[in-house]
Amino acid sequence: MDKLKYRFKTISEYHKLAGLPKPAHPLVSVVNLENVHMPMKNRSVSMIFDFYTVALKRVPDAKIKYGQQMSDFEDGVLFFMAPGQVFTVEVYEDRTHRPTGWMLLFHADLLWGTHLAKAIKQCDFFDYSLYEALHVSETEELTLNAIANQINQEVNSNTDRFTQQVVIAQLELLLSYSERFYQRQFITRKAAHHEIIDRLEQLINDYFANGRLAVNGLPGVAQIAADLNISSGYLTGLLKSLIGLNTQQYLHEKLIELAKEKLSTSNLSVSEIAYELGFEHLQSFSKLFKTKTSLSPMAFRRSFN
């Protein structure tokens, strides 16, 4: 299978290669995927967009690779990519690539001077892996389609001083609905997600029991997510939904639980406990402990005597 790789710095560059008319607006475009004609057959095509991408699509005749994970897109799914991310489409040798749905492209420059320029950094799903895409219901799909159509109509009308304001408002609405639908997915796929939480608990317990804290300190979020074979963003979103904590907060809670156990059941000094928990400086341990419990380590220990 031939392999191709493209990097699109502008939306216009993508339109040109995809056989689409020049975009009506240089910073935002809604693409009907049925109108895309790229050299895909019998090929593996990797693409990097230097702009944001939101796509609601079905790809019954191809597999899509994002990072190292392959995904089928038989049903309607919504996925997100931040600028600079790479995804690869591999088309079966005996088929032609015929995706359906739409793809919303918008450049970060569109967001300048707006609330969304900062708020979009809080949308964790732009960092999710492709296999963690949002599987939408028919009703949810209709809602998302309506917003995409509204953006498309706006950018293809005569541009005026209200265009950016209207498009930004629709983008914010789209992202708000996406967050809502992801929260629904965390709930409806509860069994699978609780299995991830169980694996996370075991992973952290093993890490603590093996004495790795004293050597390596608290594990990083990226390391834990990799061990669980999910993205950092998806792990954080899952934890927020199920237990109300992000990954870093969860790790700190587990660390404080262990600190309480050592303070209440061992004769180790506070300095020795801090070292065993991976802290180079006693002050750092004491500060975190007091932040989480409102007591200093010594005051907590005295409460048991």
Side-chain angles (χ1 to χ4, degrees), residues 31-35 55-58 99-103 141 145:
V31 174
N32 182 339
L33 292 174
E34 293 185 35
N35 296 331
L56 181 62
K57 65 193 306 184
R58 290 181 175 86
T100 61
W102 51 263
M103 185 161 58
E141 187 169 344
N145 288 345

Side-chain angles (χ1 to χ4, degrees), residues 1-7 17 38-47 65 67-68 70 86-91 93:
M1 181 179 287
D2 295 338
K3 294 183 178 181
L4 298 176
K5 187 172 184 179
Y6 300 103
R7 181 160 199 148
L17 185 67
M38 294 188 68
M40 301 291 289
K41 192 172 182 179
N42 298 338
R43 290 182 176 179
S44 170
V45 180
S46 296
M47 288 176 270
K65 185 177 182 181
Q68 299 301 314
M70 297 297 297
V86 183
F87 76 98
T88 302
V89 178
E90 295 185 0
V91 181
E93 294 183 4

Side-chain angles (χ1 to χ4, degrees), residues 59-71:
V59 190
D61 44 24
K63 287 183 178 294
I64 296 180
K65 185 177 182 181
Y66 187 54
Q68 299 301 314
Q69 191 73 29
M70 297 297 297
S71 297

Side-chain angles (χ1 to χ4, degrees), residues 56-59 73-78 134-137 141:
L56 181 62
K57 65 193 306 184
R58 290 181 175 86
V59 190
F73 276 65
E74 295 286 348
D75 299 319
V77 293
L78 188 73
L134 177 61
H135 294 252
V136 295
S137 68
E141 187 169 344

